[in-house]
Amino acid sequence: MESSPFHGDLDRPPAPPPCAVETPRGEPSPTSQIWSSSLAMKASPAVSVFGAKASDSSTRRWISPLLFLMVIALSFTLLYRTTTPAVLFPPASLRVELGPPVAVQRPVDSAVASDPLPSSSPRPVQNGPESQDVRLERVLRAAATRDNTVILTSLNAFWSTPGSVLDLFLESFRVGNGTSELLNHLVIVAVDDKAYERCLAVHDHCFDLKTEGVDFSGEKVFNTPEYLDMMWARLDFLRVVLEKGYNFIFSDVDIMWFRNPLPFFYPDGDFQISCDNFLGDPTDLKNWPNNGFNYVKSNNRSIEFYKYWYSSRARYPGVHEQNVLNIIKYHQHVREIGVRIRFLNTKHFGGFCEPSRDLNKVCTMHANCCIGLQRKISDLRAMLDDWKKFMSLPPDIKILSHYSWSVPQSCRLPPGLGRDKEKNHHL
C-alpha cells in the first residue's frame, strides 16, 4: 500500500539525524539526547496526547479554558445584537446640545458667502408678526369654498358692539333657509382694533385691515370725507382679493341673509351688483346699482375693471364710489375691458328702497334708504321677526300666502325724498 503524502512518515521508522556533533567519549551528544526524547514521545501514548514538555503542557492547560471563555463571550455578544435594534444616531429629542456650532473661518468671496447653511445648522426663527398680506392669504384660504369663493363683509367698532348690527347680521344666517353653513365661508374684515376683537369673540374667520394714518373706528356719516375714505379703501381691498384668485360675495353688514344667493346669480356675469331700483333687464346700464351687495368672479376682466374704478376717484374727487360706478359704467374703456356687468333683480335681492315682495323668493334684504344706526337696528330686528313668523307657517300656507314685510317702519322716508337717489341711496 502506498503511503499518503500527508501521513506516510507515520509508517516508517525514524531516520537517524543527518549529522552529529562530536562530544567526549562516553557522553551522548545533545542532538542524540533530543532525538532520543523525540523517540520516547512517539512511543508513549500519554505523551502524544498531552505534550512532551512541561511548558507545552502548561500552555495547553490555559488555552482550553481561554477558548471556552471566548466562545461564551462571543455567544453573549451575538445574542445581544439580535435582541437589540441598531441605532445609528440618537433621536433628535434625546440629543444634547453642547452649544452653538463653531464657525469655520473661510475666505470671504461671492461663492462662499452665498453658500447655504448645512442642514444641521439651526434655522433662524422669525419672531415678528405676520405681514398683512400673509394674514389675508391665510384667512381667505381657510374660509374659501372649493371653487375659491368667499363671503366678505366689513365693519368698524361703531357697527360691531354687542346688540348692534353685527349680531343681527349673523343671526340672519342662522335663521335663514339653508344659510347657516355659509358662515363657514364668511370673512369679517375689521377696520379697527375694537371691531377685530369683537369679531374674534363671535366668529371664526376675521381679518384686521390696517390703513396707515386713518381711524375708521367711529361713526362715519354718509358722504362725509371720512366715510368716502372708508368706502374707497374697501374697494381697493376687494381688488386685492380678486388678484389673489378669489371670487367673492361682498355684503354690507346691514343686509339680512335669508337664502343662499348662489343659485340666483347669472352664469355669464363677471361683476354682478344689487340695485336700489331694478328696471327688469339685468344688462340695462340704466339700472341704479347699490354697491352694498355684489358678486364678482376673479379674472383679468374684473381685476382691470376694479383698477379702473379705483383710479377714477382722482377724476371725480369727493364723489362716492357708488356714484363713480354710475358714471364709468358707460365709459368706452369699460367696454374695452370687456367686463360683463349684470344687475341683480330686487325680487331676490331687495331692500328698503325697493323691497323683495315675495318671501318665498327673497335671498337678501338691505336696510338701504335709511339714515341713522338706531333706525336701521330697529327695522332690521322687525325684519328678522317677520321672517321667523313666515318660516313658522305650514309649508302649504307659506306657498299660497301673500305674507309681506312690516318694514320699513323707523326707516320710512318722507314723501318725495326717496326719489333723490343721488343723495339717499345706499347708506
Side-chain angles (χ1 to χ4, degrees), residues 294-356:
N294 48 54
Y295 169 58
V296 188
K297 295 177 182 177
S298 175
N299 55 43
N300 292 335
R301 295 183 298 273
S302 62
I303 292 171
E304 288 304 313
F305 173 66
Y306 266 75
K307 287 180 179 179
Y308 181 70
W309 186 359
Y310 184 79
S311 68
S312 298
R313 181 185 187 185
R315 291 191 289 272
Y316 306 100
V319 180
H320 194 293
E321 112 281 352
Q322 184 170 280
N323 292 337
V324 171
L325 171 63
N326 262 328
I327 298 171
I328 67 171
K329 65 185 180 181
Y330 297 104
H331 282 193
Q332 175 63 28
H333 187 64
V334 172
R335 290 194 291 271
E336 292 172 353
I337 291 173
V339 62
R340 295 171 295 194
I341 300 175
R342 299 293 181 267
F343 298 92
L344 297 172
N345 195 328
T346 52
K347 176 175 63 176
H348 303 296
F349 305 94
F352 292 164
C353 297
E354 191 171 289
S356 176

Side-chain angles (χ1 to χ4, degrees), residues 94-139:
L94 301 180
R95 293 179 187 172
V96 179
E97 295 296 337
L98 301 178
V102 178
V104 179
Q105 297 294 328
R106 296 189 294 177
V108 179
D109 55 34
S110 58
V112 173
S114 62
D115 286 343
L117 292 173
S119 59
S120 59
S121 301
R123 296 181 181 273
V125 178
Q126 296 181 355
N127 296 320
E130 287 181 313
S131 68
Q132 185 163 259
D133 185 69
V134 171
R135 290 200 316 275
L136 176 59
E137 180 63 39
R138 174 172 52 81
V139 173

